[in-house]
Amino acid sequence: MASKPPIRVAVTGAAGNIGYALLFRIASGQMLGEDQPVILQLLEIPVEGPQKALRGVAMELEDCAFPLLQDMILTGDADTAFRDANWCLLVGSKPRGPGMERADLLKDNGKIFVAQGRSIDKVAADDARIAVVGNPCNTNCMIAASQAKRLGQDRFTAMVRLDENRGRALLARKAGVAVGEVSELFIYGNHSPTMFADFTHARIGGRPASEVIGDKAWLEGEYLPTVGKRGAAVIEARGQSSAASAANALVDHVRGLVTPGALHAVAVPSHGRYGFSEGVWAGMPVRSTGTGYEVVTSYDMDAFAKSKIKITNDELVAERDTVKEMLA
Ligand code: NAD
Ligand code: LMR
């Protein structure tokens, strides 16, 4: 059987912690499919330390002899990394340390996404799709998308899948069931402690999660902050931010977006849906069409859910105000 044409995947920050946990999974076929050849186009900052580390990672990728890995491009130049890329995975940026909020990274990291948004719009493939991981990812995604004139804004997505996975795992643990029993748990809003992990529509073993858990006080008072602050808890425990689980979530994010019918939370331009302000990138449920996605707008929110969505929306609007000079 003739093999499929390769998909070009650009990854920024490729020699970083998430990069190290991510690239091998892409090259093995876990992200785009076990019969899908890939070309990795790897960007690192153009100074010797990171470039040398990148060469080391590439040596290890070679040493895996992945049949699907057709080629690798290692570069410090954004246009070279994004040229003809079908997927642009924007990971490269500073992670937060203990005691910081993700929004503290905004000014430092935001400017990376101005330049990369422009470059992607200039040189990436016509069907390019973008996934932003570098924090604060919703607003960085908005910054990158604002630079795009050729590619539609809806191509730019940010990752809330790690939060969704955390939320599912915690519900399953509380209910004493396997994680596969949890469905329809979606993250609304920002990838920050204000996010709303919507337990009100989640199901466990097909039944409403709130009925199965039977403890509203726990769901509202303990579950939500535990999911929202899980990133900080990992930093506190590990001394650095989550990497393997973030890479895993990115594999899930992209796989969900290329698998027709898959339903999961993705941060997308809100277009006013679920009460989010026009122009912010907010997590919400989307269903993949394979080459694109549809936002699922059928979940009715009760007063509690609406109050949580308002809080996370207010934060997204405040972040947008902070970076307004970076928006094209
Ligand atoms: P890291 O410091 O280990 O790696 C980041 C890499 O990016 C470094 O190698 C650095 O040289 C490179 N880099 C920096 N600026 C760059 C640029 N302009 N172009 C190309 N490369 C550049 O950090 P990490 O642990 O891999 O985390 C990366 C980002 O992902 C951080 O912002 C972190 O907060 C974020 N993150 C997001 C989520 C999420 O769920 N959205 C989860 C975990 C981490
Ligand atoms: C996470 O959620 O683990 C990442 O966004 C890293 C962080 O700063 O919390």
Side-chain angles (χ1 to χ4, degrees):
M1 198 175 72
S3 74
K4 293 177 167 177
I7 289 181
R8 292 178 178 271
V9 183
V11 181
T12 73
N17 281 312
I18 295 176
Y20 193 67
L22 173 69
L23 299 176
F24 300 85
R25 298 191 58 186
I26 302 174
S28 70
Q30 290 179 50
M31 189 172 85
L32 291 166
E34 285 173 8
D35 60 348
Q36 178 56 63
V38 291
I39 295 175
L40 288 174
Q41 309 192 158
L42 307 178
L43 181 68
E44 258 301 341
I45 47 180
V47 294
E48 182 47 19
Q51 289 295 321
K52 184 167 177 233
L54 184 57
R55 290 196 292 278
V57 176
M59 286 162 69
E60 285 204 67
L61 281 160
E62 270 175 22
D63 294 349
C64 292
F66 287 120
L68 294 172
L69 183 57
Q70 279 200 355
D71 198 5
M72 278 186 278
I73 294 168
L74 316 184
T75 182
D77 172 58
D79 286 359
T80 305
F82 296 128
R83 191 167 310 284
D84 300 324
N86 308 101
W87 273 98
C88 302
L89 308 182
L90 307 188
V91 178
S93 52
K94 216 159 109 179
R96 66 174 166 156
M100 291 168 75
E101 274 310 326
R102 296 186 189 95
D104 296 333
L105 301 171
L106 206 45
K107 291 274 183 191
D108 278 350
N109 283 346
K111 48 186 182 283
I112 296 173
F113 295 86
V114 174
Q116 293 187 352
R118 266 184 213 149
S119 171
I120 288 167
D121 199 49
K122 186 168 67 163
V123 301
D126 287 339
D127 69 353
R129 288 191 264 178
I130 298 94
V132 179
V133 173
N135 277 320
C137 61
N138 298 56
T139 296
N140 288 336
C141 187
M142 175 178 62
I143 293 170
S146 80
Q147 309 299 322
K149 306 289 171 258
R150 177 177 60 104
L151 300 172
Q153 304 267 303
D154 291 350
R155 305 284 190 82
F156 288 76
T157 62
M159 187 173 94
V160 290
R161 183 58 187 256
L162 179 53
D163 312 301
E164 183 170 301
N165 288 347
R166 288 168 172 164
R168 283 173 194 243
L170 183 52
L171 272 187
R173 205 158 58 243
K174 178 75 174 173
V177 300
V179 77
E181 295 289 307
V182 179
S183 60
E184 293 182 79
L185 187 265
F186 304 114
I187 304 296
Y188 291 79
N190 206 2
H191 172 60
S192 87
T194 67
M195 76 185 78
F196 176 49
D198 180 18
F199 60 81
T200 71
H201 293 98
R203 303 184 85 79
I204 300 176
R207 288 171 55 214
S210 39
E211 217 177 273
V212 175
I213 301 285
D215 186 347
K216 193 164 171 239
W218 180 83
L219 285 166
E220 293 184 358
E222 200 173 323
Y223 174 72
L224 289 182
T226 303
V227 177
K229 294 183 192 151
R230 183 70 163 184
V234 170
I235 291 172
E236 179 56 32
R238 252 171 54 84
Q240 51 184 353
S241 82
S242 62
S245 57
N248 177 68
L250 184 52
V251 169
D252 287 345
H253 174 106
V254 174
R255 189 137 184 85
L257 283 170
V258 299
T259 306
L263 181 60
H264 62 142
V266 174
V268 295
S270 82
H271 298 306
R273 289 174 287 224
Y274 287 108
F276 285 100
S277 296
E278 186 68 41
V280 300
W281 260 248
M284 54 185 77
V286 313
R287 183 177 281 109
S288 169
T289 59
T291 53
Y293 60 84
E294 294 158 353
V295 175
V296 177
T297 53
S298 52
Y299 290 103
D300 278 334
M301 296 296 170
D302 63 15
F304 175 79
K306 282 183 181 157
S307 72
K308 291 292 173 191
I309 286 176
K310 180 177 180 326
I311 292 169
T312 192
N313 181 59
D314 287 350
E315 183 183 49
L316 286 167
V317 170
E319 287 185 14
R320 182 178 61 188
D321 289 346
T322 308
V323 300
K324 59 180 181 302
E325 72 284 0
M326 295 186 204
L327 301 173

